[in-house]
C-alpha cells in the first residue's frame, strides 16, 4: 500500500506540469496546483492516497529542501548601498536617493509587522483564533518564490520597483522564520535555552569560512561520478539541521541558513540547477501534495467555525499588506504601487512550513490549519492575476541606452546611423570643424573646441552608458579612454591605429576594463576568416542577415535550454563562450548568466533579441 501511494504521488507530480501547460494555467503557481492535486487525491475526494510513513518522511525532507532552496534565493547584496558608477545612474540615484529600495522595503515590512500584530490581537479579542503570536507570524508571511518568479517573468529584478518588491518578500520570509524559531523555543516542548540559538549562527560562520574557497577549485577536480558541489550542499543541510535540532530550534531554520551559506559561497549556475532538479523534481512536489492530502475538505467545510475562518484569514493576509501601497507610491506610480501590494499578498511556502511546525507542537487544530492553508491558496490565485493586470512600465524602464561617439568620420558615422534605428540614443562629438560640417546633417553631432577631458566632463560627453573613442589620434584616444573610465563610464571602446601605442598600453587598458580594437588587425582576422570559412563572405555581404554577439544578463533565460528560447526560430547560435571556454551549443544546452553568444539572424529582428538577452534582470 505504501508503494502504491508513492507511485500515485510520483505519477501526479509527473503529469502536473504537462497538464498545466496543456490547459495554459500559467497564472497559477505550481505549488498551489500541487496542493489542490493533493486535496483531490486525498481523503477529501478520491481517497487514492493516504499518509504513510514513507510519504511523511519524504514530505519532511521536502520541506527541508524547500527552505534550503529558499535560503539560496536570497541575495543580501541587495541590502548593500551601491554607489552607481555610471554618471547617468548617479544623476538618477541623486533624484531618488531619499526613497531607495532598501528604505522602502524596510518601511513596508515594518508596517506589515505592525498590522499583523493588530490583526492577531483582533482575532484573539473576538475569540476567532486564540494563538496571538502564531497568527501574527502567519499574517506577515510573503511567498518569496512566487514574487521572484513573477518579477523574473516580467524582467523587473534589476529595476528599482522589482528590487523593492523583492526586498519586501525577502523580509517576508526571513522575519517570520525567525519569529517561528522564537515562538517554537518559548512555547514548544524543548527544554533548551533560547540563547543556544546563537550556536546556529556560530556554526554557520564556521562552515562559511571553512568552505569559502570551495567553488574556486572544485571544477578542476569535479567529475560526474563525484558531484562535489552537491555533496557539499547536502553536508551543509544535514549539519545545520542537526545543529538547529540540538539547540531546540526548528530544523527548517537550519535548512534555511544552510541555503544562505551556500549562496554566499557563490556556486555556479549549474550547481543551482542541479539542486533545483533534486528539490523540485522529487521531494518538494511530494511535500506540497501531502499538504493537500492532509487537508480533509469534507470535515473542514462541514465545520461552521472553519467556514467562517477561511474568508477572514484571507482578508487578514490582504489587509496586513495594505500599507505597502502608500509606501510604494512615495516613488512609483499608483498602478504599480497597487501591483506591488497585490504581489506581496501572495503567501504559501512559509505558511505551509509554519503550519507543519505548529501542528507538530499541537498549538493549532486541523480545522484552523486547513483554514489558514486554503486562505493562502486563494492569495496565490488572486495576487499574480492582479499584478499582471495593473503593472505598467515605469518611465525609467523605457529609456534607450545612451551611446556617445568621440570622433565623427567615415568609420564612426555609418555605425551611429545604424544604431539610431535600434534601442540606442546616439550623440557624436568632434573637434574637427571640417568633419562637423560634412556629417552634421546626417547624424546628431556637436563641435567641441578641444578634447580636453575636463572640458568634456563639463559638457556631459562622459555622461553615457557606452563611450566610443573613434578618431585617429592614438595618444589622445589613450588619455580620453582612461579619463572616461575613471569618471565612471560603464563601457569604453577605444580605437588604435598606431600599433606602437597600442602595444605599449593595451595590457593597461584591458586591465581597466576598456575594450580596444585596431582596424588593421580586424581586417587581417576578417581576411583569414574569409579564407578559412568562405561562407563568411556571404554573411558579410548579406544585407538581410549578419553575425552578432551578446552577453546573457537576463536571468529570465538562464537555465533555459536553447531549443526552448522563444525566439530560437529567428536566430542560429553557433558558439557560446563560458568561463573562457568555447562550448559547442546543442538544443539541450542551457544558458548561464554571463554567457557570450555568437549568433546570426535577420537584422530586423536580432537587435531586439540582443537587447532582450543583454537586459540586466
Amino acid at each position: 500500500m505504501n508503494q502504491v501511494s508513492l507511485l500515485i504521488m510520483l505519477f501526479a507530480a509527473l503529469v502536473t506540469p504537462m497538464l498545466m501547460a496543456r490547459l495554459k494555467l500559467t497564472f497559477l503557481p505550481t505549488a498551489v496546483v500541487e496542493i489542490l492535486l493533493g486535496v483531490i487525491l486525498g481523503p477529501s475526494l478520491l481517497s487514492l492516497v493516504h499518509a504513510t510513513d514513507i510519504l511523511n518522511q519524504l514530505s519532511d525532507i521536502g520541506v527541508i529542501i524547500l527552505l534550503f532552496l529558499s535560503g539560496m534565493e536570497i541575495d543580501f547584496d541587495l541590502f548593500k548601498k551601491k554607489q552607481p558608477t555610471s554618471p547617468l545612474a548617479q544623476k538618477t540615484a541623486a533624484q531618488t536617493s531619499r526613497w531607495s529600495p532598501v528604505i522602502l522595503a524596510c518601511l513596508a515590512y515594518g508596517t506589515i509587522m505592525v498590522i499583523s500584530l493588530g490583526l492577531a490581537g483582533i482575532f484573539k479579542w473576538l475569540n476567532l483564533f486564540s494563538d496571538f503570536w502564531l497568527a501574527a507570524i502567519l499574517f506577515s508571511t510573503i511567498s518569496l518564490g512566487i514574487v521572484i518568479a513573477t518579477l523574473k517573468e516580467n524582467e523587473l529584478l534589476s529595476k528599482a520597483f522589482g528590487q523593492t518588491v523583492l526586498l519586501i518578500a525577502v523580509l517576508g520570509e526571513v522575519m517570520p522564520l525567525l519569529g517561528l524559531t522564537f515562538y517554537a523555543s518559548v512555547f514548544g516542548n524543548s527544554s533548551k535555552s533560547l540563547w543556544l540559538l546563537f550556536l546556529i549562527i556560530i556554526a554557520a560562520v564556521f562552515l562559511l569560512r571553512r568552505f569559502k574557497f570551495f567553488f574556486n577549485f572544485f571544477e578542476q577536480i569535479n567529475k560526474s561520478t563525484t558531484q562535489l558541489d552537491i555533496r557539499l550542499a547536502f553536508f551543509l543541510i544535514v549539519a545545520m539541521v542537526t545543529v538547529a535540532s540540538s539547540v531546540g530550534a526548528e530544523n527548517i531554520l537550519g535548512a534555511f541558513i544552510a541555503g544562505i551559506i551556500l549562496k554566499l559561497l557563490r556556486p555556479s549556475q549549474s550547481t543551482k540547477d542541479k539542486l533545483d532538479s533534486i528539490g523540485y523534481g522529487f521531494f518538494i512536489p511530494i511535500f506540497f501534495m501531502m499538504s493537500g492530502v492532509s487537508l480533509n475538505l469534507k470535515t473542514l467545510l462541514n465545520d461552521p467555525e472553519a467556514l467562517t475562518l477561511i474568508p477572514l484569514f484571507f482578508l487578514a493576509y490582504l489587509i496586513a499588506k495594505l500599507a505597502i501601497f502608500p509606501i510604494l507610491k512615495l516613488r512609483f506610480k499608483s498602478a504599480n504601487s497597487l501591483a506591488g501590494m497585490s504581489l506581496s499578498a501572495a503567501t504559501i511556502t512559509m505558511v505551509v512550513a509554519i503550519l507543519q511546525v505548529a501542528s507538530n507542537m499541537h498549538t493549532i487544530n486541523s480545522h484552523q490549519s486547513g483554514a489558514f492553508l486554503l486562505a493562502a491558496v486563494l492569495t496565490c490565485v488572486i495576487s499574480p492575476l492582479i499584478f499582471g493586470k495593473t503593472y505598467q512600465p515605469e518611465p525609467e524602464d523605457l529609456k534607450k541606452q545612451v551611446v556617445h561617439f568621440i570622433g565623427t568620420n567615415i568609420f564612426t558615422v555609418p555605425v551611429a546611423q545604424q544604431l539610431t534605428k535600434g534601442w540606442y540614443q546616439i550623440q557624436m562629438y568632434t573637434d574637427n570643424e571640417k568633419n562637423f560640417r560634412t556629417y552634421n546633417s546626417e547624424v546628431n553631432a556637436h563641435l567641441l573646441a578641444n578634447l580636453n577631458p575636463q572640458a568634456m566632463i563639463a559638457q556631459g560627453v562622459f555622461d553615457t552608458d557606452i563611450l566610443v573613442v573613434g578618431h585617429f589620434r592614438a595618444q589622445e584616444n589613450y588619455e580620453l579612454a582612461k579619463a572616461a573610465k575613471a569618471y565612471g563610464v560603464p563601457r569604453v571602446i577605444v580605437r588604435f591605429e598606431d600599433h606602437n601605442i597600442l602595444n605599449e598600453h593595451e595590457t593597461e587598458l584591458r586591465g581597466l576594463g576598456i575594450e580596444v580594437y585596431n582596424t588593421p588587425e580586424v581586417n587581417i582576422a576578417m581576411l583569414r576568416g574569409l579564407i578559412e570559412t568562405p561562407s563568411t563572405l556571404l554573411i558579410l555581404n548579406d544585407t538581410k542577415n549578419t553575425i552578432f554577439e551578446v552577453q546573457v544578463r537576463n536571468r529570465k533565460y538562464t537555465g533555459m535550454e536553447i531549443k526552448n528560447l522563444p525566439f530560437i526560430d529567428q536566430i542560429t547560435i553557433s558558439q557560446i563562450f563560458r568561463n573562457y571556454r568555447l562550448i559547442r551549443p546543442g538544443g539541450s544546452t542551457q544558458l548561464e548568466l554571463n554567457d557570450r553568444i555568437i549568433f546570426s539572424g535577420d537584422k530586423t529582428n536580432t537587435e531586439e533579441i540582443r537587447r532582450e538577452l543583454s537586459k540586466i534582470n
Side-chain angles (χ1 to χ4, degrees):
M1 197 64 189
N2 287 351
Q3 292 177 332
V4 172
S5 293
L6 177 60
L7 181 62
I8 293 173
M9 294 287 277
L10 293 179
F11 180 75
L14 174 64
V15 300
T16 297
M18 294 188 288
L19 287 175
M20 290 181 66
R22 181 72 175 174
L23 300 175
K24 298 181 180 180
L25 297 175
T26 54
F27 66 94
L28 278 177
T30 305
V32 172
V33 177
E34 288 168 346
I35 291 173
L36 295 176
L37 193 59
V39 172
I40 295 172
L41 296 175
S44 299
L45 292 174
L46 301 180
S47 295
L48 295 176
V49 175
H50 299 274
T52 63
D53 291 340
I54 187 170
L55 285 177
N56 287 332
Q57 290 172 359
L58 291 174
S59 178
D60 291 340
I61 297 174
V63 70
I64 288 174
I65 294 181
L66 175 65
L67 269 295
F68 169 75
L69 294 176
S70 297
M72 284 192 66
E73 295 283 5
I74 296 177
D75 185 2
F76 288 99
D77 288 341
L78 290 171
F79 290 95
K80 296 179 181 178
K81 187 175 182 180
K82 301 176 183 178
Q83 295 297 331
T85 56
S86 166
L88 294 180
Q90 289 175 350
K91 290 182 178 180
T92 303
Q95 297 170 358
T96 59
S97 59
R98 183 181 178 187
W99 304 116
S100 68
V102 174
I103 293 175
L104 289 174
C106 292
L107 285 174
Y109 195 74
T111 62
I112 291 175
M113 293 178 65
V114 172
I115 296 174
S116 297
L117 291 169
L119 289 170
I122 292 173
F123 273 83
K124 184 178 177 64
W125 179 59
L126 295 176
N127 293 320
L128 294 172
F129 187 74
S130 59
D131 196 322
F132 172 82
W133 294 108
L134 181 60
I137 293 170
L138 286 165
F139 294 150
S140 64
T141 58
I142 301 173
S143 182
L144 178 61
I146 292 175
V147 171
I148 288 178
T150 305
L151 295 177
K152 183 177 180 180
E153 180 64 27
N154 289 273
E155 300 177 346
L156 294 172
L157 287 177
S158 65
K159 304 296 189 294
F161 173 80
Q163 289 181 351
T164 303
V165 177
L166 178 61
L167 284 172
I168 295 172
V170 168
L171 292 172
E173 196 152 276
V174 173
M175 299 306 293
L177 185 58
L178 293 176
L180 176 66
T181 300
F182 283 92
Y183 171 83
S185 299
V186 173
F187 299 102
N189 297 323
S190 175
S191 59
K192 306 291 183 181
S193 300
L194 196 61
W195 64 269
L196 289 175
L197 294 177
F198 290 105
L199 289 179
I200 299 177
I201 300 175
I202 296 173
V205 172
F206 170 78
L207 291 173
L208 179 61
R209 291 176 62 88
R210 181 66 183 86
F211 295 102
K212 186 174 182 180
F213 303 104
F214 179 81
F215 286 99
N216 293 335
F217 70 89
F218 96 93
E219 287 187 351
Q220 302 173 10
I221 58 175
N222 192 38
K223 299 179 181 178
S224 59
T225 54
T226 57
Q227 298 291 341
L228 290 178
D229 50 345
I230 306 303
R231 296 187 187 195
L232 173 66
F234 279 96
F235 170 77
L236 291 174
I237 293 173
V238 174
M240 293 309 302
V241 166
T242 302
V243 172
S245 300
S246 300
V247 301
E250 289 301 321
N251 53 21
I252 60 174
L253 175 65
F256 190 78
I257 294 177
I260 294 175
I261 295 172
L262 191 62
K263 181 61 179 285
L264 293 175
L265 291 173
R266 301 192 180 280
S268 66
Q269 184 64 40
S270 62
T271 299
K272 298 176 184 176
D273 292 338
K274 286 184 283 189
L275 290 169
D276 282 343
S277 299
I278 295 171
Y280 291 103
F282 183 67
F283 293 103
I284 295 174
I286 292 177
F287 165 65
F288 281 123
M289 283 191 284
M290 285 303 297
S291 299
V293 168
S294 62
L295 189 63
N296 194 327
L297 287 182
K298 292 179 181 177
T299 58
L300 184 65
L301 298 180
N302 287 328
D303 182 10
E305 179 188 358
L307 287 175
T308 303
L309 289 176
I310 292 171
L312 291 177
F313 286 156
F314 172 73
L315 289 175
Y317 284 133
L318 299 182
I319 293 171
K321 316 302 190 303
L322 283 179
I324 295 178
F325 176 79
I327 292 175
L328 291 181
K329 200 176 176 190
L330 293 172
R331 177 167 178 177
F332 307 108
K333 61 177 67 172
S334 297
N336 291 349
S337 300
L338 177 61
M341 180 193 72
S342 64
L343 186 59
S344 300
T347 179
I348 190 66
T349 307
M350 286 304 302
V351 166
V352 178
I354 292 169
L355 290 176
Q356 186 184 62
V357 172
S359 297
N360 294 336
M361 293 173 58
H362 305 291
T363 58
I364 189 172
N365 62 46
S366 60
H367 291 175
Q368 294 168 335
S369 178
F372 271 115
L373 182 57
L374 283 179
V377 168
L378 289 175
T379 65
C380 293
V381 173
I382 293 175
S383 295
L385 285 175
I386 297 176
F387 180 88
K389 295 291 185 182
T390 56
Y391 179 77
Q392 302 170 359
E394 293 283 335
E396 62 191 47
D397 300 341
L398 303 175
K399 291 182 180 178
K400 292 185 176 183
Q401 197 166 25
V402 180
V403 183
H404 287 181
F405 287 82
I406 299 177
T408 306
N409 49 57
I410 194 172
F411 293 105
T412 58
V413 169
V415 176
Q417 288 175 324
Q418 293 185 31
L419 290 176
T420 304
K421 301 174 184 178
W423 200 256
Y424 297 96
Q425 180 180 329
I426 306 300
Q427 195 85 28
M428 304 197 76
Y429 300 89
T430 182
D431 63 340
N432 187 314
E433 187 173 352
K434 179 180 178 181
N435 284 6
F436 172 74
R437 290 198 303 268
T438 302
Y439 297 111
N440 184 42
S441 61
E442 301 181 31
V443 293
N444 185 14
H446 294 268
L447 181 63
L448 301 175
N450 59 71
L451 298 183
N452 178 275
Q454 294 303 319
M456 299 181 80
I457 291 174
Q459 297 189 53
V461 180
F462 289 171
D463 293 333
T464 179
D465 298 310
I466 302 174
L467 179 70
V468 180
V469 186
H471 61 65
F472 293 94
R473 300 188 295 274
Q475 184 62 40
E476 199 165 18
N477 284 0
Y478 165 70
E479 300 293 342
L480 285 172
K482 286 184 60 178
K485 202 64 181 177
Y487 182 74
V489 180
R491 285 189 65 194
V492 178
I493 304 171
V494 59
R495 171 187 180 186
F496 283 100
E497 299 305 320
D498 189 331
H499 220 291
N500 293 325
I501 295 180
L502 176 61
N503 290 338
E504 182 181 353
H505 299 297
E506 183 175 8
T507 303
E508 176 191 3
L509 293 174
R510 293 191 187 279
L512 294 172
I514 297 171
E515 301 165 57
V516 178
Y517 76 97
N518 173 265
T519 305
E521 286 186 351
V522 171
N523 291 336
I524 292 170
M526 187 59 62
L527 179 58
R528 187 190 69 204
L530 292 175
I531 295 171
E532 295 176 346
T533 312
S535 58
T536 304
L537 183 61
L538 297 176
I539 296 175
L540 292 176
N541 291 333
D542 191 341
T543 59
K544 185 178 179 182
N545 298 286
T546 188
I547 298 176
F548 297 88
E549 177 181 345
V550 65
Q551 184 177 15
V552 179
R553 297 188 294 176
N554 192 336
R555 295 179 185 272
K556 178 179 179 180
Y557 301 103
T558 57
M560 184 180 292
E561 294 183 353
I562 287 177
K563 64 184 178 184
N564 294 327
L565 291 172
F567 41 75
I568 191 59
D569 58 330
Q570 303 175 42
I571 62 174
T572 300
I573 298 177
S574 56
Q575 294 177 333
I576 297 177
F577 289 98
R578 178 181 299 162
N579 298 327
Y580 306 102
R581 292 183 300 173
L582 177 64
I583 296 176
R584 299 294 181 184
S588 59
T589 303
Q590 292 186 345
L591 296 184
E592 293 188 7
L593 195 65
N594 296 320
D595 278 353
R596 301 194 75 90
I597 298 176
I598 310 296
F599 68 94
S600 58
D602 191 323
K603 293 178 181 178
T604 58
N605 300 323
T606 46
E607 184 55 49
E608 179 64 25
I609 293 172
R610 288 180 67 203
R611 190 176 72 86
E612 180 73 9
L613 287 169
S614 63
K615 187 186 299 179
I616 298 177
N617 184 31

